[in-house]
Amino acid sequence: MSDDATKYTLVNRHLLSTLMQRTGTGERTTTRKLAADIGIAHGTIGGLLTGAVQVVPQSTAVDIAARIGVDLLVLFAPVCRANPALTVVPTADTA
């Protein structure tokens, strides 16, 4: 499975905002600075903070959490199916 196939949803946008005020290094970061530090559009961070963006690729979630200074699962939850979809294989009777 490629990294792009795994998506993560922000658990709490207010928590992200709060953690941006005091990152793991003790400094404050802005939407633009956080985005620049991890190499994404600042609109993605802004969208996460407003709720307009709900899901991001795993690499983005990992980079945001690392830059903020928290474990991935503090901010994000994986978006996946609990049970994979069944694959129906035609048999001679159904073909």
Side-chain angles (χ1 to χ4, degrees), residues 12-82:
N12 183 322
R13 61 190 171 115
H14 302 292
L15 178 59
L16 174 59
S17 179
T18 299
L19 292 172
M20 287 174 63
Q21 299 306 309
R22 187 175 175 99
T23 65
T25 62
E27 67 184 22
R28 178 181 183 275
T29 191
T30 65
T31 301
R32 288 182 185 271
K33 175 111 174 71
L34 176 57
D37 287 349
I38 63 173
I40 63 171
H42 72 273
T44 301
I45 303 295
L48 286 168
L49 291 168
T50 63
V53 172
Q54 306 259 330
V55 176
V56 294
Q58 179 179 5
S59 60
T60 300
V62 168
D63 290 346
I64 291 170
R67 174 59 184 88
I68 295 295
V70 298
D71 289 337
L72 174 65
L73 297 179
V74 169
L75 282 174
F76 293 93
V79 177
C80 60
R81 296 178 69 107

